[in-house]
Amino acid sequence: MKFQIIALITTSLAISFAGLAHAERADREKPVTIESDKASYDDRNKVQIFEGTVNLKQGTLVIVSEKLVVTQDAEGFQKGIATGGQGGLARFRQKREGKDEYIEGEAERIEYDGRTDKARLFNRAMTRSGQDETRGQYIEYDGYTEQYTVTNGANANVVKNSKERVVTTIYPKSAKPAAPGKP
């Protein structure tokens, strides 16, 4: 029973991170596998903690972090927080629906709230889809409106005169990149 509850919660978390990317829909039907050095479960408070090189896999979705905490509220909505990992960053990667490309992202902390269907990437945040890439200190994706917010400060705050800037690189979709040395 405990495994079924954990699987349900982690499946919801995995699907939630997938919303960030217009992800492969078939992944939602795949089993979730979580590997970690340590796992603890608090059924009373609906908290699961996975620590030590955490690898979550569900279909084409992969989340790698040092720690993954999943909580569930009284109404059954889940929140997930992935932190740390290689280079101090949590990472995700997943195949995009109907395309032969992947969306990937990284940040020091990645949060997902199932109630609001929002994913938030904090500090050294980056998302990449195909060749297109966006970097900032904070990236928020609203799964309901399918809109992004990217800022140079944490928690959607814009820091005036900051040396940190939001950087977005968008490649033309109809043209191939020019060969080096050619306009």
Side-chain angles (χ1 to χ4, degrees):
M1 179 69 165
K2 182 185 286 189
F3 178 76
Q4 291 172 336
I5 292 169
I6 294 164
L8 176 64
I9 291 170
T10 54
T11 298
S12 298
L13 174 66
I15 290 168
S16 304
F17 278 123
L20 184 64
H22 300 293
E24 183 94 338
R25 288 186 189 107
D27 285 349
R28 296 176 184 168
E29 304 301 319
K30 304 277 171 72
V32 175
T33 301
I34 300 175
E35 295 179 0
S36 63
D37 294 333
K38 179 181 175 184
S40 60
Y41 313 100
D42 179 345
D43 286 338
R44 177 177 285 156
N45 294 309
K46 306 287 188 235
V47 177
Q48 292 77 40
I49 301 172
F50 303 90
E51 297 177 274
T53 313
V54 180
N55 289 292
L56 180 148
K57 294 179 183 177
Q58 183 182 28
T60 66
L61 173 66
V62 176
I63 298 172
V64 178
S65 64
E66 190 57 32
K67 185 175 184 180
L68 175 64
V69 178
V70 181
T71 60
Q72 180 177 337
D73 66 19
E75 289 84 35
F77 290 100
Q78 292 85 30
K79 289 184 181 180
I81 301 173
T83 55
Q86 184 181 3
L89 301 174
R91 292 181 164 79
F92 72 90
R93 184 173 198 260
Q94 186 167 33
K95 188 175 184 305
R96 291 189 62 194
E97 178 67 31
K99 296 190 178 203
D100 191 23
E101 65 183 38
Y102 285 79
I103 180 87
E104 54 191 357
E106 63 186 27
E108 290 178 15
R109 185 173 83 241
I110 301 173
E111 296 182 0
Y112 175 78
D113 185 336
R115 180 182 296 278
T116 61
D117 198 20
K118 288 186 181 177
R120 295 177 177 95
L121 289 76
F122 295 87
N123 302 322
R124 298 190 290 160
M126 181 277 296
T127 58
R128 181 181 303 122
S129 179
Q131 291 182 301
D132 299 345
E133 182 177 289
T134 299
R135 291 183 177 273
Q137 288 300 307
Y138 175 81
I139 299 174
E140 179 178 288
Y141 177 75
D142 186 318
Y144 290 123
T145 64
E146 297 184 357
Q147 295 179 345
Y148 285 90
T149 300
V150 184
T151 67
N152 67 348
N155 299 321
N157 296 321
V158 174
V159 180
K160 299 274 188 192
N161 302 320
S162 171
K163 290 182 181 181
E164 295 287 331
R165 304 276 294 163
V166 171
V167 178
T168 301
T169 305
I170 303 170
Y171 288 87
K173 300 301 180 219
S174 60
K176 294 180 182 177
K182 296 185 179 181

